[in-house]
Amino acid sequence: MTAIFNPTGPATLGPPPVPRTPEPAVTPTTPLAGPVGPVLALPGSPAAALVPVTRDGRAVGAFVSVDGQVRYRALPDPDRALAAAAGAAVVAVLTAGVAVVARRRPPAIGTVTMGPGGWVSLRGARVPALRPATPRPWWARLLRAQRLVVRR
């Protein structure tokens, strides 16, 4: 084969090109995946239609057509609900921790200082209340109930 040089570059001599017939367009049997799904007819007395809307393969909402009015109904996002529940749980745990730290009982006596000669000074300190030998029931502590009769 000999080559002919033309302004666009070398061209080979050969049989003339055969014109191609365009192939018929192939129609897919399955609908193409897109953000809006197929129209679903809903049974019932008013004519209604539902068109689902997806994003990244997950349903995010639907267009609902009833009596010529079209409305968009968003679906709750499970990831957002899970994040909100986790955030609420963290806030509850932190609140409970702060409540436990804040409910710590103050010491029964004030500051203790050493005086000359090794004696202990408790001047200005309150006398601690005597505690009963038996502990109070859990429900009385929870309700902060007071005794009606003074136990001696």
Side-chain angles (χ1 to χ4, degrees):
M1 294 236 146
T2 56
I4 298 174
F5 291 96
N6 59 22
T8 59
T12 59
L13 289 178
V18 177
R20 291 186 154 177
T21 58
E23 295 179 12
V26 178
T27 57
T29 57
T30 59
L32 298 174
V36 178
V39 177
L40 305 173
L42 300 176
S45 61
L50 178 75
V51 181
V53 178
T54 60
R55 181 175 184 184
D56 297 332
R58 298 173 77 175
V60 294
F63 287 104
V64 180
S65 173
V66 178
D67 292 334
Q69 293 183 350
V70 178
R71 293 185 182 176
Y72 179 75
R73 301 290 183 176
L75 293 176
D77 185 15
D79 292 337
R80 185 179 289 176
L82 183 64
V90 167
V91 168
V93 167
L94 288 176
T95 303
V98 168
V100 166
V101 170
R103 284 259 312 143
R104 288 182 52 194
R105 190 180 298 186
I109 58 174
T111 57
V112 177
T113 58
M114 297 295 291
W119 55 270
V120 178
S121 172
L122 297 175
R123 179 173 270 179
R126 297 179 289 127
V127 176
L130 296 176
R131 296 190 180 151
T134 59
R136 296 181 69 196
W138 65 267
W139 56 265
R141 286 194 308 269
L142 179 70
L143 296 175
R144 297 182 185 174
Q146 301 293 325
R147 288 191 173 96
L148 295 177
V149 179
V150 176
R151 185 182 288 178
R152 294 188 189 244

